[in-house]
């Protein structure tokens, strides 16, 4: 590894042993990065050097009115904020800084300023509570936090000595999105407008993205400055193909790597614009597309399904590309969106451990029922429990390797995610003869009933084709006779009655469309499905019902 710029060496010291890393594929000419660079400087200063200084970098809303921030204005803001971090807070390269905020200009600036100062960013979801924040602070030994003033309450509980969620490492908290005298915004106003980026190594850790494991104990995924650029230079370049004229928009939080890439890093790398709005519903997202003339949208399948009935009320003539990720994209949702907009969805499979999407296909290369194939730069395989390759068409465990990969922060689960140099994301898939990936389920979510392997997402996709079904989730539940049976949780559309007759109708519908053994033997109607802040279905919550 290149000599680190970090004075605080905690991150590098707590990387997994090198023999537990996945094999890193860095021989692609597109990934021939220098040994030393700062990814924030490359993304922001690089865009200005390329002539985009006066173009809009970030659109936001202030009092309901659009506000434009150019690349040059954004760099000045970021550099002022970086000075506060270094000059006022005395933070040193390698210190971890927790970020807490919704999708705003200020959250983006806090992220870029921290990176430019050589800090290790630990972004957190806005809805996390003190208990969850304490776990992250303790795990990553975080000494400083930058927090949106409106979200300060839960973080304050982590600073109460003797309190249940006291986190001793957290000694400094600075609020932003505030005009108070001690806020980051106010302090930054008097700072110099130029900040010299920290001379970080390409393989210095810059991001620890936390993801929850099945035990509930958070896992910190450590990514390098090099990984951030690789994220920007593979899926976007080969599948999304953005230009400086594009306007990005969407719902995933910047604290989620899906949102960090799609709503901040990808646009900056292309010299394009991004729209950052705090709270979006399906209808207000459609309104934002119309208002800001967005051309590229990132969101989860559920949002596309909920937006489709309202499309006709909005002018979406600017919209050219829509990206779905975060959970399986049902064929019914893809068809519904295409029928409503004429746009073929770009589906993607990624993960926090891999930083972003590594399986996808451009719209012209879509194959029915498939997610796509390996994004150039990545290699995929389907293996059995002994890591032996399986024949095409056989369901097994997805294995992937490329320029990014899993490096957990001081976590024994590294040995489970990485085996024989391959990353094992935990997905059950099969490949066709052309290398297209057909998603079946999370490996732990495959339903085995009377000896049959059943894909929950496949059953969900069929149910969603029925006119009465608005949303659904399918799991396997224990059964003395069959081992497991298929159980469906269904949210119905207005005008339908949740009764035994509808249960029988839905069961018959599934039997008529897929092998009869896959039909849900139990159906339960709900008012709403439990979902995470990023839109993913909480299958574990369904299992507890």
């Amino acid at each position: 590894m290149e000599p680190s710029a970090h004075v605080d060496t905690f991150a590098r010291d707590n990387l997994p042993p090198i023999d537990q890393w996945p094999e890193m594929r860095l021989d692609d000419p597109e990934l021939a990065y220098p040994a030393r660079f700062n990814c924030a400087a490359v993304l922001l200063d690089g865009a200005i050097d390329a002539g985009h200084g006066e173009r809009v970098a970030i659109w936001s809303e202030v009092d309901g009115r659009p506000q434009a921030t150019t690349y040059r204005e954004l760099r000045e803001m970021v550099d002022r904020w970086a000075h506060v971090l270094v000059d006022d807070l005395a933070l040193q390269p390698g210190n971890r800084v927790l970020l807490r905020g919704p999708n705003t200009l200020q959250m983006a600036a806090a992220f870029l300023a921290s990176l430019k100062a050589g800090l290790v960013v630990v972004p957190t979801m806005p809805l996390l509570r003190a208990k969850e924040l304490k776990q992250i602070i303790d795990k990553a030994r975080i000494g400083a936090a930058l927090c949106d003033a409106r979200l300060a309450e839960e973080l304050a509980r982590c600073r109460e000595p003797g309190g249940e969620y006291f986190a001793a490492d957290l000694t400094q908290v600075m609020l932003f999105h505030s005009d108070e005298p001690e806020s980051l915004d106010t302090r930054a106003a008097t700072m110099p407008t130029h900040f010299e980026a920290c001379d970080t190594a390409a393989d210095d850790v810059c991001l620890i993205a936390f993801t929850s494991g099945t035990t509930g104990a958070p896992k910190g995924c450590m990514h390098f400055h090099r990984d951030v650029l690789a994220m920007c230079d593979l899926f976007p370049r080969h599948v999304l193909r953005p230009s400086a004229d594009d306007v990005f928009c969407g719902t995933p939080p910047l604290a989620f790597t899906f949102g960090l890439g799609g709503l901040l890093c990808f646009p900056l790398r292309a010299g394009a614009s991004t729209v950052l709005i705090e709270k979006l519903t399906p209808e207000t997202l459609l309104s934002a597309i119309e208002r800001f003339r967005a051309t590229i949208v990132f969101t989860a399948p559920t949002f596309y399904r909920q937006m489709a009935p309202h499309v006709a009320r909005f002018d979406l003539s600017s919209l050219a590309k829509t990206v779905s990720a975060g959970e399986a994209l049902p064929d019914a949702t893809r068809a519904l969106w295409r029928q409503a907009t004429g746009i073929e969805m770009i589906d993607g499979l990624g993960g926090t451990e891999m930083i972003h999407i590594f399986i996808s296909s451009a719209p012209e290369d879509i194959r029915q029922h498939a997610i796509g194939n390996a994004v150039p730069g990545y290699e995929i395989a389907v293996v059995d429990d002994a890591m032996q390759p399986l024949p095409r068409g056989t369901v097994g465990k997805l294995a992937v390797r490329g320029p990014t990969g899993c490096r957990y922060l001081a976590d024994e689960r590294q040995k489970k995610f990485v085996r024989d140099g391959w990353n094992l994301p935990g997905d059950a898939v099969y490949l066709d003869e052309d290398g297209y990936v057909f998603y079946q389920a999370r490996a732990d979510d495959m339903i085995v009933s009377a000896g049959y392997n059943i894909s929950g997402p496949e059953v969900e996709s069929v149910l969603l084709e029925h006119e009465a079904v608005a949303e659904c989730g399918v799991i396997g539940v224990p059964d003395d006779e069959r081992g497991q049976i298929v159980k469906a949780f269904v949210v119905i559309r207005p005008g339908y009655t949740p009764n035994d007759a509808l249960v029988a109708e839905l069961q018959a519908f599934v039997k008529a469309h897929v092998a009869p053994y896959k039909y849900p033997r139990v159906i339960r109607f709900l008012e709403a499905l439990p979902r995470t802040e990023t839109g993913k279905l909480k299958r574990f919550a369904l299992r507890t019902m």
Side-chain angles (χ1 to χ4, degrees), residues 367 391-393 431-436 438:
R367 183 160 297 185
R392 297 294 171 104
L431 300 180
D432 71 6
E433 292 301 322
D434 297 320
Y436 278 79
F438 291 77

Side-chain angles (χ1 to χ4, degrees), residues 75-262:
R75 182 173 66 177
E76 180 177 317
M77 181 179 182
V78 165
D79 285 4
R80 288 180 185 273
W81 284 35
H83 272 292
V84 175
L85 303 182
V86 173
D87 300 349
D88 284 9
L89 297 186
L91 297 178
Q92 295 184 315
N95 288 161
R96 277 76 57 218
V97 58
L98 182 142
L99 299 188
R100 180 165 168 77
N103 286 6
T104 60
L105 168 65
Q106 291 83 357
M107 181 68 169
F111 194 97
L112 293 168
S114 299
L115 291 178
K116 206 166 186 182
L119 306 176
V120 178
V121 177
V122 187
T124 58
M125 299 292 186
L127 291 182
L128 292 189
R129 299 298 184 230
K131 177 181 178 180
E132 298 155 311
L133 293 170
K134 172 179 168 55
Q135 287 181 309
I136 291 170
I137 293 165
D138 290 348
K139 178 88 174 181
R141 300 287 300 275
I142 298 171
L146 307 179
C147 179
D148 189 297
R150 298 163 298 173
L151 298 175
E153 183 177 352
E154 290 296 321
L155 195 58
R157 297 176 68 191
C158 295
R159 301 194 69 200
E160 297 171 356
E164 182 178 3
Y165 304 119
F166 178 62
D169 288 298
L170 186 64
T171 58
Q172 298 189 91
V173 173
M174 181 169 277
L175 303 182
F176 60 81
H177 209 160
S178 166
D179 57 4
E180 291 298 315
E182 295 303 307
S183 72
L184 181 50
D185 315 59
T186 302
R187 288 196 187 193
T190 61
M191 289 293 176
T193 58
H194 174 73
F195 182 88
E196 192 67 32
C198 181
D199 179 31
T200 43
D203 53 13
D204 270 335
V205 176
C206 69
L207 169 69
I208 304 178
F210 273 87
T211 181
S212 295
T214 54
T215 64
K219 296 174 289 187
C221 305
M222 306 172 78
H223 295 296
F224 300 159
H225 285 264
R226 180 182 70 212
D227 300 329
V228 173
L229 287 198
M231 168 180 75
C232 296
D233 290 343
L234 292 178
F235 166 73
R237 183 172 295 170
H238 293 283
V239 179
L240 195 59
R241 301 166 192 161
S243 74
D245 294 325
D246 277 309
V247 179
F248 289 67
C249 189
T251 62
L254 294 180
F256 182 32
T257 55
F258 181 39
L260 175 63

Side-chain angles (χ1 to χ4, degrees), residues 31 147 363 422 434 471 486 516 525 542:
L31 305 175
C147 179
W422 291 86
D434 297 320
E471 293 185 73
V486 178
F525 296 105
L542 295 180

Side-chain angles (χ1 to χ4, degrees), residues 299-320:
T299 193
T302 304
F303 248 70
Y304 288 115
R305 186 166 186 83
Q306 294 173 344
M307 286 193 294
H310 305 289
V311 161
R313 295 168 36 215
F314 298 89
D315 176 7
L316 305 186
S317 56
S318 63
L319 190 60

Side-chain angles (χ1 to χ4, degrees), residues 383 387 397-400 416-419 422-427:
V383 299
M387 293 300 295
K397 295 181 177 180
L398 174 66
V400 58
K416 180 180 179 182
F417 199 98
V418 177
R419 289 181 60 192
W422 291 86
N423 299 276
L424 298 175
D427 300 300

